[in-house]
Amino acid sequence: MEKLARKQVQALTPYLSARRIGGSGDVWLNANESPFDNEYKTDFARLNRYSECQPKALIEAYAAYAGVKPEQTLTSRGADEGIELLIRAFCEPGEDAILYCPPTYGMYAISAETIGVERKTVPLTADWQLDLDGIEQNLGGVKLVFVCSPNNPTGNLVKREDIVSLLEMTKDRAIVVMDEAYIDFCPEASTVDLLEQYPNLAILRTLSKAFALAGLRCGFTLANEALINVLLKVIAPYPVPVPVADIAIQALSEAGLARAKFQVLDLNANRAYLQAGLSVIDGLTIYEGWGNYLLVKFPQGDDLFKATWDNGIILRNSPIEDCVRISVGSRDECEKTLSFIRNYYS
């Protein structure tokens, strides 16, 4: 059967998600999930009927939260589907390319490769910012430029002035896709206000992180109406199951938003606690993070990763040499992780 697959798929190395990698333990800090298991109620009615393609109440609720118009909002099966929709809608296989700046989220490349679209890379600078000159030199044939801020796995914010420069550079040439999966932890850094000025801007959002709904698979693309209308041409007929829409609307209610805000404050405090505790251990470099995770450079990072793994503390190894990404969990999870690392290096 493998020989019948498209050549791109035969050669494809799938994205190794946290769940695919697996592990066994009681401290799971490898997938940037929320530790909060919030309760929701749905009556599971209307399951004999297809859902709306874009449930009106859900679109209106998220648009209000994000500060945009409903016609600038599209919902999908997580932000991952948003990535794929953008590539399928705007890139001709075998002709066009996407551009992204590693180290960053791996699904930009996987989605493009699956569809047969060329991948161009311009690595981030030494301080993990955009190399604008390098990007400009590589824009030939590029339809989409993906930028993640806060960036996964590094945790840093991309300079706003560089994002504006990139949008100016790509006018009438390419779409800049800002991946804001972690922006709820630092909403002041969002680029949503730039939509009014730049028709070539698209923004990816999700309920997986700050809203503690990773298992719901509900994401959003924010863009101007003309771009959203293009995506609506290629999206699946019924992308949002009825229970998903029901729960997401509850999460975006006044009470749900208040709870999410409180939980974000709690996680940001736990991130500061973890950062402070790690910073006093000799030999470690803790990079400032703005999402619900920290990137830490250890002496022999692979050995530390394996030691925690073997002791039931599941972290995420990184493509950056000797670096491990640690999700911010509950205070108890952070304490257990910090205690193990202290003892490991004592």
Side-chain angles (χ1 to χ4, degrees):
M1 287 298 101
E2 186 174 343
K3 292 180 180 179
L4 295 177
R6 292 169 46 235
K7 290 180 180 179
Q8 289 96 339
V9 176
Q10 290 183 38
L12 183 69
T13 300
Y15 179 73
L16 291 179
S17 67
R19 288 298 171 269
R20 280 196 173 190
I21 294 171
S24 177
D26 58 358
V27 177
W28 291 83
L29 300 179
N30 63 336
N32 296 346
E33 298 157 321
S34 172
F36 297 104
D37 185 9
N38 301 317
E39 290 189 7
Y40 294 93
K41 292 183 179 179
T42 179
D43 58 10
F44 294 102
R46 311 184 312 283
L47 295 186
N48 60 317
R49 304 296 183 189
Y50 289 116
S51 61
E52 297 176 77
C53 176
Q54 296 292 293
K56 185 174 184 289
L58 176 57
I59 292 294
E60 289 178 348
Y62 196 83
Y65 168 69
V68 298
K69 300 173 183 176
E71 55 266 30
Q72 294 177 298
T73 309
L74 177 139
T75 188
S76 60
R77 290 167 288 203
D80 286 326
E81 187 181 24
I83 295 168
E84 186 173 321
L85 289 172
L86 286 159
I87 296 172
R88 283 201 290 120
F90 290 98
C91 295
E92 292 283 358
E95 295 182 19
D96 297 326
I98 70 163
L99 187 150
Y100 60 96
C101 304
T104 194
Y105 185 44
M107 278 306 297
Y108 313 138
I110 297 291
S111 293
E113 189 175 358
T114 301
I115 297 168
V117 171
E118 182 185 354
R119 287 87 58 212
K120 292 188 177 184
T121 60
V122 177
L124 296 173
T125 63
D127 58 349
W128 292 329
Q129 294 297 323
L130 298 178
D131 176 359
L132 291 173
D133 290 338
I135 291 173
E136 189 165 28
Q137 293 167 18
N138 285 275
L139 277 180
V142 169
K143 288 284 190 70
L144 298 168
V145 180
F146 286 91
V147 178
C148 190
S149 183
N151 185 41
N152 178 13
T154 60
N156 67 289
L157 291 171
V158 176
K159 294 177 183 175
R160 182 180 173 88
E161 59 266 30
D162 288 353
I163 296 169
V164 172
S165 295
L166 180 60
L167 286 163
E168 291 286 346
M169 181 194 304
T170 54
K171 269 185 176 178
D172 302 318
R173 299 178 65 182
I175 296 165
V176 175
V177 184
M178 291 300 305
D179 187 341
E180 293 189 349
Y182 301 95
I183 205 67
D184 306 281
F185 297 96
C186 50
E188 68 280 359
S190 177
T191 56
V192 73
D193 61 300
L194 296 175
L195 285 173
E196 187 175 349
Q197 187 176 351
Y198 294 101
N200 62 321
L201 172 62
I203 299 171
L204 297 172
R205 295 282 192 86
T206 181
L207 298 185
S208 294
K209 314 301 181 183
F211 285 87
L213 286 171
L216 197 68
R217 309 311 302 132
C218 186
F220 300 88
T221 303
L222 309 177
N224 287 298
E225 187 175 5
L227 195 157
I228 294 295
N229 286 338
V230 173
L231 299 183
L232 285 169
K233 290 184 176 183
V234 298
I235 198 169
Y238 315 107
V240 185
V242 170
V244 170
D246 286 348
I247 292 170
I249 290 167
Q250 292 175 53
L252 293 163
S253 68
E254 185 177 355
L257 292 173
R259 178 174 58 191
K261 184 177 181 179
F262 172 80
Q263 292 176 352
V264 163
L265 290 172
D266 195 25
L267 291 173
N268 283 346
N270 287 350
R271 183 185 66 210
Y273 165 81
L274 190 60
Q275 184 171 0
L278 290 169
S279 66
V280 299
I281 302 175
D282 289 340
L284 275 55
T285 302
I286 300 90
Y287 298 98
E288 187 172 17
W290 294 88
N292 63 333
Y293 54 95
L294 287 172
L295 186 73
V296 183
K297 187 170 186 178
F298 296 92
Q300 287 77 50
D302 287 344
D303 292 344
L304 181 279
F305 171 78
K306 185 177 186 305
T308 55
W309 177 286
D310 290 344
N311 285 271
I313 299 173
I314 312 302
L315 309 180
R316 180 73 156 167
N317 54 0
S318 163
I320 305 167
E321 187 177 4
D322 288 324
C323 286
V324 175
R325 194 192 69 192
I326 306 175
S327 302
V328 177
S330 66
R331 182 56 64 97
D332 180 61
E333 289 172 322
C334 291
E335 288 175 351
K336 287 181 179 178
T337 303
L338 184 56
S339 177
F340 180 89
I341 295 172
R342 278 183 184 143
N343 292 333
Y344 183 81
Y345 286 107
S346 62

